[in-house]
Amino acid sequence: MYSFMAAGTYAPYLGYLWVSGEFGEVTGKYPFGLKDPVRTLKVLTGLAHFLTVLLGVGIVLCTYFSATILWERRAGLGAAAFIITSYPYFYYARTGNVDVPMTFFIAAALTAFTLMLKRGITTKRALALGAAMGFALGTKEACYSMFPLIPVALVIAHLRNRPGPVGSWRFLAPIVFAAVAGILAFGFGSGLFIEPSRYFAHLEFHRELAELYASGEADHVLRARDLAG
């Protein structure tokens, strides 16, 4: 998902280079068709970092809204201050890697979740929750452990409030919309629906890597764990 977001961020700048003649025939080898690759790659790196900074701002806002919804505005301000002064968050928000984009979508999902718990389950909120969860998983699958209990809690809350008979469309609509939004967001965000072979190759790579770690044969990959690394 972050690759697609970064590509969207790059597009206007690359379009400008194409129109101005600074970006010719695209190649897979350096200088990639760029007339001034050093400058261009520096700008692209800055754009990728700026994107994660914006998503970091989004995490702070989601934290504020979630705490405000659950408690009050002072709690929201305190939670936002806690996040923005957290060193790992502050560090990763400017690095241009996938962790902050993933965390932003998690935070957005949790905001939708708190809205549904405190102010009722609606189709729009269910769509937002499903889409945010799908995009989070499409950014980095490792975040899956954040989500299994959310549907359980919401189904229990939905059964208690019961907007209509169980099995009626009025009752099922939020569940169906959340599931469809989640599947579509994950399918497109992960690239599964766009280039399935690449996504399955990605899964196979991680399966093989896990086997290497389990056998102890991949210890050299983790050299950074010691002082020499």
Side-chain angles (χ1 to χ4, degrees), residues 77-221:
L77 291 171
F82 181 83
I83 287 294
I84 203 169
T85 55
S86 167
Y87 179 76
Y89 157 81
F90 192 82
Y91 175 82
Y92 277 106
R94 59 165 183 75
T95 59
N97 66 7
V98 300
D99 293 289
V100 162
M102 173 196 70
T103 306
F104 166 74
F105 288 119
I106 293 173
L110 292 177
T111 302
F113 178 54
T114 56
L115 266 173
M116 294 167 82
L117 285 180
K118 298 293 285 187
R119 299 180 186 176
I121 297 172
T122 66
T123 300
K124 286 183 179 179
R125 291 166 188 167
L127 278 170
L129 175 67
M133 289 170 64
F135 284 141
L137 290 166
T139 305
K140 189 174 182 180
E141 296 99 330
C143 70
Y144 73 91
S145 59
M146 292 292 299
F147 299 129
L149 293 180
I150 287 179
V152 175
L154 289 176
V155 166
I156 292 172
H158 203 38
L159 285 169
R160 284 180 177 175
N161 297 327
R162 199 165 299 188
V166 176
S168 68
W169 177 244
R170 189 175 179 186
F171 179 86
L172 291 176
I175 299 171
V176 171
F177 278 105
V180 171
I183 292 169
L184 290 176
F186 174 75
F188 285 106
S190 66
L192 175 61
F193 293 168
I194 298 167
E195 195 175 352
S197 60
R198 185 179 177 90
Y199 182 74
F200 288 120
H202 155 77
L203 294 183
E204 180 63 17
F205 168 77
H206 283 285
R207 187 191 66 77
E208 292 175 355
L209 197 61
E211 288 182 355
L212 285 174
Y213 286 147
S215 66
E217 295 179 17
D219 285 349
H220 64 280
V221 178

Side-chain angles (χ1 to χ4, degrees), residues 20-92:
S20 63
E22 294 292 315
F23 189 16
E25 183 181 354
V26 180
T27 67
K29 294 182 180 180
Y30 187 87
F32 314 115
L34 300 167
K35 283 193 174 181
D36 188 354
V38 174
R39 178 178 178 276
T40 300
L41 293 175
K42 184 177 180 180
V43 172
L44 292 176
T45 301
L47 290 171
H49 289 201
F50 183 65
L51 174 61
T52 55
V53 169
L54 289 179
L55 295 171
V57 172
I59 293 171
V60 176
L61 293 174
C62 287
T63 303
Y64 168 79
F65 287 123
S66 295
T68 301
I69 291 163
L70 286 173
W71 294 287
E72 51 158 5
R73 187 167 178 270
R74 285 184 300 173
L77 291 171
F82 181 83
I83 287 294
I84 203 169
T85 55
S86 167
Y87 179 76
Y89 157 81
F90 192 82
Y91 175 82
Y92 277 106

